[in-house]
């Protein structure tokens, strides 16, 4: 059994590239993890997700506990088998979705009581239950259960919330460590740094997590509407306190240039619904900027979506076709644009990994911005 | 350049199996043609449609003339290139859709003036324009423009409509024959027998079409709500008047057992939206009958959708997973169930072809009905 292990291959300034070794396969970092909320990366077959270059996908504790249920997935052989994705899966703990999706939440020291957004059913999540669900799913990287306060909020509010999240992080770690050896070995538990945009709170949160000890460290509570500059400043104030020898994961981020800036600041892992959601809304990411395929100027455009892209959509179809199926509301529009967008994100990650390995990240980033069209092409 | 040619390989009673040779590939008959209305077989990549065993797909003159436009598709290199389906395409002439979809139709001897169901735009279709559109699309099998009266209707109404359709068939043939040699060679023009459920009108229609002469003969005006027995009786009264050496196409049919019964009666080609539409509605066709994947009894069912089916959905996923994604409204549900349904239809066609080739069609049909579960499993 391969142990869970982070191998640092090269650094370029604060940025790093490496490999996370897991029993289910290697994860090349910096890594982008497509979001497979409800046991599917929307509009994609799992084999197509892999074809785009993904090493790992993300699943959602909150969604899967409500439907089809964690115990049911366990009976059916676990999430990997259920969704036919044999490679690594990271699951978030449900903390973020409880705050953003559910109704009638009641937070206590014990956990969160809430109503399902699907059928109004009463549900409960705690550090112990969140880790139990992730164990039942068979998740390779399990996230601690945390509280995600809405921003903006006062220092006092964020401090109180962060302190609760740190007590929950400790209980999550204990719960993870209590999982049977046969299930736990080769898997990882990641802590989540909280503290809003307050550098002093981020420091205290990072210290508290290191004191507990985790296989990886996530930065949570960002990408919730704050400007990119605030996110980067918070990263600068946070990453410096995280261990060098453990993977760092920026949760829920982001646009390609958010990712580029965060990699520059030492982040190793990302997840975001943007490439998949945008794909379902007729938007395509390219190195020249985002394209809105609804735009009539594509109606007669025989060129592929993006020259030089080797994804299925770019190999087999024209912009004119994509415009037509987007305008017609055809399912293949979501399939093809999601495919392209995930492939584009992986191309960005691949470019970043190679640039870091060759100590030319600054030049790569300069070229990355130079390639942008002067105005949005949409 | 391969000429368009129908090769009859074997007969079993009235049923036949053969190969339609075209410059774009062979079509094994009896053939089921997946419907690609708007230049996409809904929820499927073209390569996946081919993987299910399809030799040919159908496109719709009515839909494509309205969006993206026939002249535009011609500028972009034709429908095959546009939708990335290099194999044969049959296009219907728009007659049926004008009646079922458009508003404010006005039928004259010249053609049909109507309003687009998309944007209310004034449009016009005639035999000449319908054939021009099919030429612009680059269709391999072009259907004559006909009038499709609503049923039930009186003998007098159907007779008048059929007579108009026969005059339009003659004009369609003339228009097809006027297409430039370089485009027309290797392509086919099919006539459409009309006449409702009246045997005398079907006879007169078939005779009129044979007098004109076509590369193939379709039976139109059925599968519009009449009972299966009326459809079969009409087929019995019609097929006997069609040439032995030309393919026969029953338009818009149907459920698997409609197809089985029609093959028994000498039909060679079929198209229907049922496998694709049902796939988007959570319904799966199997040899044991139709399954409704919304049904809660599948929630814990670890078995594949259909034992013995080699389609991607059956190879890679459980009924429990399909139930989950159908209930969750995920796009992958439409993708997987459409894939399975198209594969199932092709398995039925393959079974029929082999049974006819081996002169055991009656036994095959007996076994086909015996495999049905005593009650609908849905």
């Amino acid at each position: 059994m391969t142990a869970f292990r982070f191998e640092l291959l090269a650094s370029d300034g604060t940025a790093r590239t490496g490999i996370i070794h897991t029993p289910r396969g290697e994860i090349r970092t910096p890594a982008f993890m497509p979001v497979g909320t409800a046991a599917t990366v929307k509009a994609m077959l799992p084999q197509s997700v892999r074809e785009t270059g993904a090493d790992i996908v993300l699943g959602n504790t909150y969604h899967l506990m409500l439907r089809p249920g964690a115990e049911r997935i366990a009976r059916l052989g676990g999430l990997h088998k259920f969704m036919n994705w044999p490679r690594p899966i990271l699951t978030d703990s449900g903390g973020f979705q409880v705050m953003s999706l559910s109704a009638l939440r009641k937070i206590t020291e014990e956990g969160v009581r809430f109503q399902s957004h699907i059928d109004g059913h009463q549900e409960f999540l705690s550090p112990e239950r969140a880790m139990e669900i992730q164990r039942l799913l068979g998740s390779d990287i399990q996230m601690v259960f945390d509280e995600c306060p809405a921003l903006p909020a006062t220092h006092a509010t964020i401090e109180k919330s962060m302190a609760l999240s740190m007590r929950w992080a400790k209980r999550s770690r204990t719960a993870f460590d209590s999982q049977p050896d046969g299930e736990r070995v080769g898997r990882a538990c990641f802590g989540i740094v909280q503290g809003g945009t307050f550098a002093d709170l981020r420091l205290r949160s990072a210290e508290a997590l290191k004191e507990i000890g985790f296989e990886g460290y996530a930065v949570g509570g960002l990408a919730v509407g704050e400007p990119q500059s605030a996110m980067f400043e918070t990263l600068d104030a946070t990453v410096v306190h995280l261990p060098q020898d453990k993977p760092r994961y920026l949760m829920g981020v982001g646009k390609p240039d958010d990712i580029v800036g965060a990699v520059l600041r030492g982040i190793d892992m990302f997840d975001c619904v943007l490439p998949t959601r945008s794909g379902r809304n007729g938007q395509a990411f390219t190195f020249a900027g985002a394209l809105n395929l609804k735009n009539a100027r594509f109606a007669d455009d025989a060129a592929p979506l993006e020259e030089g892209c080797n994804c299925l959509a770019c190999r087999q179809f024209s912009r004119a076709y994509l415009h037509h199926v987007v305008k017609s509301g055809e399912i293949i529009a979501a399939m093809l644009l999601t495919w392209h967008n995930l492939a584009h994100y992986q191309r960005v990650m691949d470019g970043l990994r190679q640039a870091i390995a060759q100590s030319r990240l600054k030049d790569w980033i300069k070229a990355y911005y130079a390639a942008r069209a002067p105005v949005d092409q949409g």
Side-chain angles (χ1 to χ4, degrees), chain A residues 69-141:
Chain A
E71 278 74 9
R72 170 170 287 137
I73 289 181
R75 281 196 303 274
L76 291 162
L79 183 56
H80 297 80
K81 183 175 175 188
F82 186 63
M83 68 185 288
N84 193 38
W85 175 262
R87 293 179 173 274
I89 294 175
L90 179 149
T91 43
D92 73 5
S93 61
F96 180 77
Q97 281 78 25
V98 161
M99 301 308 293
S100 57
L101 293 178
S102 71
L104 296 174
R105 293 175 293 280
K106 186 168 163 37
I107 303 175
T108 62
E109 185 68 29
E110 177 60 16
V112 185
R113 199 162 294 282
F114 63 95
Q115 274 195 343
S116 159
H117 75 285
I118 298 172
D119 61 5
H121 200 268
Q122 278 282 343
E123 299 281 346
F124 182 69
L125 266 179
S126 64
E128 291 75 19
R129 179 59 182 157
M131 301 316 287
E132 168 74 359
I133 290 170
Q134 294 179 83
R135 180 186 72 78
L136 288 165
L137 298 175
S139 170
D140 301 286
I141 303 181

Side-chain angles (χ1 to χ4, degrees), chain A residues 11-17 30 259-267 348-369:
Chain A
S11 296
D12 186 355
T14 309
R16 318 103 65 79
T17 181
I259 291 177
V260 168
V263 164
L264 185 66
R265 288 166 173 82
I267 297 292
V348 172
M349 305 318 292
D350 202 53
L352 287 164
R353 286 192 298 261
Q354 291 189 36
I356 296 166
Q358 297 163 10
S359 296
R360 51 176 181 80
L361 180 60
K362 289 261 160 65
D363 287 348
W364 188 92
I365 292 177
K366 200 181 292 176
Y368 174 82
Y369 280 104

Side-chain angles (χ1 to χ4, degrees), chain A residues 94-261:
Chain A
F96 180 77
Q97 281 78 25
V98 161
M99 301 308 293
S100 57
L101 293 178
S102 71
L104 296 174
R105 293 175 293 280
K106 186 168 163 37
I107 303 175
T108 62
E109 185 68 29
E110 177 60 16
V112 185
R113 199 162 294 282
F114 63 95
Q115 274 195 343
S116 159
H117 75 285
I118 298 172
D119 61 5
H121 200 268
Q122 278 282 343
E123 299 281 346
F124 182 69
L125 266 179
S126 64
E128 291 75 19
R129 179 59 182 157
M131 301 316 287
E132 168 74 359
I133 290 170
Q134 294 179 83
R135 180 186 72 78
L136 288 165
L137 298 175
S139 170
D140 301 286
I141 303 181
Q142 304 179 18
M143 303 303 297
V144 299
F145 187 65
D146 59 349
E147 203 213 343
C148 298
L151 293 188
T154 63
H155 187 279
T157 301
I158 297 290
E159 181 174 23
K160 196 173 154 213
S161 168
M162 182 274 285
L164 177 63
S165 284
M166 294 307 103
R167 295 192 295 278
W168 285 359
K170 174 72 182 160
R171 282 167 54 192
S172 297
R173 178 82 233 182
T174 302
F176 177 81
D177 289 338
S178 310
Q179 294 177 3
D181 278 357
E183 298 189 20
R184 198 189 64 247
V185 171
R187 293 181 182 168
C189 180
F190 278 24
I192 305 176
V193 182
Q194 289 289 354
T197 52
F198 300 106
D200 62 319
L201 299 183
R202 290 282 173 181
L203 166 62
R204 279 172 49 197
S205 180
E207 294 298 333
L209 293 176
K210 282 190 288 186
E211 174 73 24
I212 301 167
F214 289 95
E215 285 78 32
Y217 293 84
V219 182
L222 291 177
V224 289
E226 78 283 1
Q228 189 188 61
S229 58
M231 183 174 82
F232 286 165
E233 281 165 29
T234 305
L235 282 184
D236 287 332
T238 304
V239 171
V240 67
H241 303 301
L242 298 178
Q244 277 289 334
D245 61 347
K246 294 290 188 324
R248 303 158 182 167
Y249 163 29
L250 178 55
M251 302 183 78
V253 172
K255 293 193 293 292
D257 54 324
D258 293 333
I259 291 177
V260 168

